[in-house]
Amino acid sequence: MEDQRPAPYPVEWEADVVLRDGTTMHVRPIRPDDADAIQRFQEGQSERSAYFRFFAPIKRLTDRELARLVTLDHQDRVALVAVRPGADDEGAERDDVLGVARFDVITDGEAEVAFNIADSVQGKGLASVLLEHVAAAARERGVRRFTAEVLPQNASMLGVFRDAGYEISQHLDDGIVSVGIDLDPTERSRAVMADREHRAEARSMASLLSARRVLLVGPGSEGHDGSPEALLARRVLDAQRNDPGDTELVVLDPPGDVPDGVEHAAGWDAVGQVDLALLAVGPEHAVEVVRRLAATGARGVVVLSGGYAEVGTDGMERRRELLRVAHAAGMRVVGPVSYGLLTTTPGAALRASLALQPPRAGVVGLFCQSAAAAVTLTATLERRGLGVSSLVSAGHRADVSGNDLMQYWQDDDATEVVCLYLESIGNPRKFSRIARRLSAVKPVVVTTAGRSGQVVPPGHAVRATHAPRRLLDELLRQSGVIQAANTHQLMDIAQVLAHQPLPAGSRVGILASSAALAALVAEAAASAGLTVAASSDFLRPHAREEQITQTVDALYAPGACDAVVVVDVPVVQPRTGAIARAVAQAAARTGRTTVASMLGLHGMPDELTAEAPDGRTVRIPAFSTPEDAVVALGKVVDHAGSRAEERGHYVVPDGVDARRARRLVERWLLDSEGRDLDLEQATELLACYGIELWPARCVRTGDEAVAAADELGWPVALKSTSSALRHRNDLGGVRLDITDADVLRDDVTRLHGVATSVLGEEEPEFEVQSMAPPGVACVVRSAEDPLFGPMVSFGLAGDAVDLLDDVAHAIPPLTDVDVSAMVSTVRAAPRLYGYGGAPPADVDALEDVLARVSVMADDLPELASLELYPVVVAGQGASVLHAKVRLRPAGRRADSLRRALPG
């Protein structure tokens, strides 16, 4: 009898998604108990929508049709549904289906796909989201191509296929358009997904930060005055009393008296419609509160209180349930343990935070995670006089993260500088992708907790990582952001970027109050990578006004320098302010980047303010020490230079057969938990990416070695296959340039002795290989990390390089500029360019190998590790002499080819 057991439910396909209008929805595989929901969905469709889906105006499905639609094997027959919570006539909860995407395998690697979207959500991008998710599921099941039959009148569905960025074909046959879609991702499909993700996530953040009517849900009279929830609710009310901005606050269940100007709702029925909710309730009540919020129209929830992942497994489960309920109802979640969010938009200033004194208006978008960090940063902003456009504290960032805010700030005209203080990064690949895009148009300044950025504070859900500590630095550099060493430096750099133009170059003019001080500042400037201009000067004590004006005018003369550092630290006499006035006026007049360190001034003082010819107010940032000023300026100069450089294009090597590689990997991993590829398999897989592995033969005896040399061609190299001896000339594990059969037999005998004496091997194996052209030996590696995803590294071969960790790292996908930088930035790189009179190596050929490895690592999450060692780079060409390849079943990457929220 045929086995009728149900197929395992693929829970990993479940996801919360953001639609084009910024609202959220839950996507999951269809289940047999969805039959009633599917029937309701079909009955609710218009005649036109039903006709487009079934080519007939079907209003109601038969029991047999329903059973076929909801009973699937999740292998050859797959369906995903987009759902939101609903209720029946008696108020019982249920899922309402708003979209269906399904495929049925028709031949090996090919499936027929179909979509059906509810009339109420058409035009919101749901079909595009479902296409991403069903395509990802299909690729996991070995399907590489979709086909679909679409009526010519169904222009919207044809547009979904056409605009997705995949390679498609279509033709009209008997009044029906047959569409073919290749599911292998293309550069355009990645760009399309990133653009849609950007617009959706930016809009979801805009809906939170533009909120006007905000609901505070407190613990009520049951929450005693000393409880954390009562204190949080009281703080919000006190903040509203101090500065309500343009926010209309409604409070439900306050922990005591309600101040004037705040609406007190007697119950949920009195709440009405709101834009945003603040939760100061215990975690045991939060989920029910979010369910009640669904009826208020709230677009987001800010969870101020704790008691979630930081308290253990039960708390983590509460957090997941909170996200599930909020996302299903179309809401984003900020927190838990958030300080809140606020904006300074004139006429629409949002106050939804614990800040008693919100920051002044400015152009800096500021993101942090913990509430404690928000307290510190807001105090620093106040002390420096630095303003913000918006401030968001994500707390434990269960949902909303810095990635979402970067998406929003890219299009926000009020934000000119983006500052991020990151205690953890949950999705580094997505961060890199978004930051690279944002930093091309606005400066992004980032500081991370700890030197590695791999700190996992309590309550943060972060995948484990085995990446080297330097990888985060490489990721930030690759993303084009400015790295700050700490929050102090973060604010230093923000001061310059917010109030000064980007410098045109690295020549810095120095004006100091003594010759000794000028020399010290010049040394600091050189250390920061700046070039001291000849126009630099100093002013003696008691300098007259006309002398000050003459010196300052010379420093700000056309072409004299690109930026100015002014240091005024009088020793005996009090500072007069004459230098500050002259410098402020010159900086405003010329538009030249200027920073200052003057005794008694810090932040954005009025004394260093002047009016530009166009009427703008120009402020010069003041720093506590000259070193702080110079370091901040150096960071800004570096950013200006890198922003002007060509960022390149993603590498697309020719001769790549990703589809064949995918088939090979799936075949080799069938019923396997992981395996190391043998020489033949490694050669075949690398060939799919145009990487030619230098032929070799494994031998055990002298006669076998001679036969292999005759086959491959003399002269040959003889190597031990043991990893301990393979690259060790000094231990006798390698013999090179062997031209004679007798010598080869003798060398086999010698290596046999070394292997048995050093390693204790009884029957050692050796490798015979034709000699490659001489050159510089390099190492190219890749690895799949749970947090960072694919990682690629490059270095020159040798113990000294390994011991000094002279290795460049990067995260694919890479541009041609990224690849070139990996090669040129290692300290031993001069050996590739003709160091010591040696002929230069073929760096282009080396970069080609590195680019192909990066594409391979990006394509194949099953590629657990790859090592090409050595890659010998000669004057012409690069020879890959050995490869170690390990495969293992792939986990789902944090930044996959489908949009999904954390959960």
Side-chain angles (χ1 to χ4, degrees):
M1 182 177 177
E2 186 179 352
D3 188 358
Q4 296 294 320
R5 289 176 300 174
Y9 178 79
V11 66
E12 66 275 10
W13 290 349
E14 292 198 11
D16 296 324
V17 299
V18 183
L19 302 185
R20 185 178 297 156
D21 63 352
T23 60
T24 56
M25 192 173 290
H26 188 63
V27 173
R28 61 168 173 80
I30 206 166
R31 301 190 298 247
D33 59 5
D34 286 323
D36 290 343
I38 292 293
Q39 188 71 276
R40 291 194 306 273
F41 168 72
Q42 185 61 35
E43 290 174 349
Q45 290 291 75
S46 66
E47 183 176 307
R48 176 183 175 86
S49 295
Y51 188 78
F52 281 168
R53 168 62 182 90
F54 296 104
F55 298 179
I58 296 175
K59 190 65 176 175
R60 184 175 176 82
L61 300 167
T62 67
D63 291 344
R64 183 176 179 181
E65 290 169 334
L66 269 178
R68 174 170 173 76
L69 289 175
V70 301
T71 307
L72 307 170
D73 60 9
H74 304 301
Q75 180 68 39
D76 293 332
R77 299 187 62 244
V78 169
L80 303 178
V81 289
V83 297
R84 275 187 179 157
D88 61 20
D89 294 339
E90 298 178 357
E93 293 183 3
R94 69 187 188 192
D95 277 349
D96 285 339
V97 173
L98 294 175
V100 184
R102 61 189 314 114
F103 70 79
D104 293 83
V105 174
I106 50 178
T107 63
D108 183 32
E110 186 171 319
E112 184 175 7
V113 69
F115 296 82
N116 199 0
I117 307 299
D119 295 337
S120 61
V121 293
Q122 289 186 13
K124 295 186 177 182
L126 179 56
S128 298
V129 169
L130 285 174
L131 175 57
E132 290 174 15
H133 283 251
V134 80
R139 283 190 289 266
E140 288 185 23
R141 296 300 189 243
V143 175
R144 315 308 296 178
R145 178 178 172 82
F146 276 161
T147 61
E149 293 187 342
V150 185
L151 291 173
Q153 306 96 304
N154 195 352
S156 59
M157 197 67 246
L158 290 171
V160 168
F161 292 137
R162 184 177 57 252
D163 297 338
Y166 296 112
E167 294 290 336
I168 71 167
S169 60
Q170 63 182 61
H171 65 274
L172 184 65
D173 185 17
D174 197 22
I176 295 175
V177 179
S178 295
V179 182
I181 309 116
D182 288 336
L183 298 184
D184 291 325
T186 65
E187 186 166 357
R188 181 167 174 263
S189 71
R190 292 178 189 270
V192 166
M193 190 200 80
D195 186 60
R196 287 172 173 169
E197 174 189 68
H198 163 70
R199 283 181 282 136
E201 292 178 356
R203 191 163 296 176
S204 77
M205 290 301 97
S207 67
L208 302 188
L209 295 171
S210 63
R212 298 296 294 270
R213 185 173 165 86
V214 178
L215 172 67
L216 168 65
V217 183
S221 57
E222 295 181 2
H224 57 82
D225 290 343
S227 72
E229 292 78 19
L231 293 173
L232 290 168
R234 175 52 55 192
R235 182 61 174 264
V236 173
L237 294 172
D238 291 344
Q240 183 74 5
R241 180 193 293 113
N242 287 353
D243 184 350
D246 300 295
T247 302
E248 179 185 348
L249 185 65
V250 184
V251 61
L252 177 68
D253 294 333
D257 296 336
V258 176
D260 294 338
V262 175
E263 179 183 340
H264 183 187
W268 281 102
D269 292 341
V271 168
Q273 293 292 294
V274 298
D275 304 311
L276 182 70
L278 302 176
L279 267 59
V281 299
E284 67 277 11
H285 304 301
V287 172
E288 181 56 33
V289 169
V290 172
R291 284 197 177 96
R292 302 294 295 268
L293 283 171
T296 68
R299 301 290 290 272
V301 181
V302 180
V303 183
L304 303 173
S305 47
Y308 296 89
E310 75 275 16
V311 301
T313 305
D314 291 343
M316 187 66 189
E317 189 54 42
R318 281 195 294 267
R319 167 174 148 161
R320 291 193 183 101
E321 180 68 5
L322 179 72
L323 289 182
R324 188 189 68 79
V325 173
H327 289 164
M331 293 180 280
R332 300 296 304 271
V333 177
V334 181
V337 199
S338 168
Y339 192 70
L341 43 95
L342 55 86
T343 69
T344 60
T345 309
L350 172 64
R351 301 291 185 260
S353 79
L354 302 173
L356 292 176
Q357 182 63 46
R360 65 191 66 191
V363 298
V364 176
L366 183 57
F367 172 86
C368 64
Q369 290 166 350
S370 72
V375 171
T376 302
L377 291 169
T378 51
T380 301
L381 291 169
E382 179 62 27
R383 187 168 61 251
R384 293 174 182 250
L386 187 61
V388 302
S389 59
S390 49
L391 184 152
V392 176
S393 158
H396 294 166
R397 57 156 191 75
D399 177 12
V400 170
S401 71
N403 291 340
D404 295 285
L405 272 301
M406 285 195 293
Q407 301 276 37
Y408 168 75
W409 282 324
Q410 180 174 330
D411 301 326
D412 179 37
D413 293 336
T415 301
E416 298 176 11
V417 180
V418 172
C419 291
L420 308 171
Y421 174 44
L422 304 177
E423 296 168 37
S424 67
I425 303 178
N427 192 339
R429 271 167 63 86
K430 183 175 179 180
F431 170 88
S432 177
R433 174 165 51 80
I434 296 172
R436 184 191 288 256
R437 180 172 175 168
L438 174 59
S439 64
V441 294
K442 295 181 181 181
V444 181
V445 193
V446 178
T447 188
T448 57
R451 292 180 59 85
S452 69
Q454 297 175 5
V455 175
V456 182
H460 290 232
V462 181
R463 299 184 184 200
T465 179
H466 310 296
R469 295 173 65 88
R470 288 176 42 225
L471 184 64
L472 181 63
D473 290 337
E474 296 288 347
L475 178 139
L476 295 175
R477 181 200 58 76
Q478 185 179 326
S479 304
V481 306
I482 305 171
Q483 256 188 288
N486 47 50
T487 54
H488 175 77
Q489 195 176 94
L490 178 79
M491 293 291 101
D492 282 351
I493 299 168
Q495 285 185 171
V496 182
L497 292 168
H499 292 280
Q500 293 293 303
L502 291 179
S506 63
R507 296 176 306 135
V508 59
I510 298 169
L511 178 61
S513 53
S514 71
L517 195 53
L520 292 174
V521 176
E523 176 64 24
S527 298
L530 303 172
T531 302
V532 178
S535 57
S536 298
D537 206 344
F538 69 95
L539 286 165
R540 298 182 184 279
H542 316 299
R544 298 187 305 274
E545 290 271 355
E546 59 269 21
Q547 186 178 0
I548 292 173
T549 301
Q550 182 180 2
T551 302
V552 169
D553 286 348
L555 190 61
Y556 282 89
C561 58
D562 301 309
V564 175
V565 178
V566 182
V567 182
D568 185 9
V569 185
V571 178
V572 178
Q573 296 290 333
R575 190 173 54 81
T576 65
I579 295 176
R581 286 192 300 273
V583 168
Q585 290 167 4
R589 182 180 69 251
T590 62
R592 189 162 300 167
T593 311
T594 304
V595 297
S597 178
M598 297 186 176
L599 190 65
L601 299 184
H602 184 69
M604 311 306 304
D606 292 337
E607 192 173 335
L608 285 169
T609 301
E611 187 174 296
D614 61 2
R616 292 180 300 108
T617 298
V618 176
R619 292 181 178 272
I620 296 175
F623 298 84
S624 299
T625 69
E627 290 81 5
D628 287 345
V630 169
V631 168
L633 179 61
K635 295 278 190 180
V636 173
V637 168
D638 284 346
H639 168 72
S642 63
R643 190 164 162 179
E645 292 174 353
E646 174 63 42
R647 295 204 168 197
H649 302 281
Y650 288 114
V651 291
V652 186
D654 56 8
V656 171
D657 190 347
R659 186 173 300 181
R660 180 166 174 261
R662 165 61 47 201
R663 287 197 298 266
L664 290 173
V665 168
E666 289 172 353
R667 188 176 79 219
W668 291 332
L669 283 179
L670 196 63
D671 300 325
S672 172
E673 291 302 313
R675 63 183 299 173
D676 295 315
L677 299 190
D678 59 31
L679 179 61
E680 182 180 345
Q681 292 169 331
T683 301
E684 188 174 8
L685 183 61
L686 290 169
C688 294
Y689 288 88
I691 301 172
E692 182 181 355
L693 190 58
W694 204 257
R697 297 292 181 268
C698 290
V699 301
R700 292 187 183 276
T701 68
D703 290 340
E704 290 178 358
V706 170
D710 289 338
E711 177 191 353
L712 297 171
W714 300 82
V716 296
L718 178 68
K719 313 171 190 178
S720 169
T721 58
S722 166
S723 58
L725 292 174
R726 176 172 200 94
H727 308 293
R728 301 302 300 266
N729 265 323
D730 55 337
L731 296 180
V734 181
R735 296 286 192 275
L736 302 176
D737 277 319
I738 306 170
T739 59
D740 180 83
D742 291 335
V743 174
L744 179 56
R745 290 189 179 92
D746 290 343
D747 284 338
V748 169
T749 301
R750 290 192 182 94
L751 257 66
H752 190 284
V754 171
T756 53
S757 62
V758 174
L759 303 178
E761 295 181 352
E762 294 183 2
E763 294 185 5
E765 191 173 50
F766 311 105
E767 189 173 276
V768 175
Q769 195 171 49
S770 291
M771 287 296 298
V776 181
C778 301
V779 186
V780 177
R781 295 185 176 100
S782 80
E784 182 75 17
D785 184 74
L787 177 62
F788 288 90
M791 308 178 298
V792 177
S793 66
F794 165 78
L796 273 66
D799 286 348
V801 170
D802 292 338
L803 291 170
L804 296 174
D805 194 27
D806 185 19
V807 179
H809 302 274
I811 297 178
L814 303 182
T815 67
D816 51 349
V817 173
D818 295 330
V819 172
S820 179
M822 286 187 72
V823 173
S824 62
T825 54
V826 295
R827 295 192 296 276
R831 289 181 55 198
L832 295 165
Y833 299 97
Y835 177 76
D842 189 349
V843 174
D844 288 344
L846 173 61
E847 290 179 359
D848 181 67
V849 172
L850 189 52
R852 292 176 185 277
V853 169
S854 75
V855 172
M856 182 179 180
D858 200 28
D859 282 351
L860 301 174
E862 298 88 351
L863 188 63
S865 64
L866 166 69
E867 179 183 82
L868 305 183
Y869 180 18
V871 179
V872 178
V873 191
Q876 291 287 330
S879 305
V880 181
L881 302 188
H882 180 68
K884 288 169 59 178
V885 185
R886 177 160 182 79
L887 304 179
R888 68 171 175 232
R892 187 177 294 279
R893 284 176 174 167
D895 189 34
S896 61
L897 295 171
R898 55 168 208 157
R899 286 173 279 166
L901 291 172

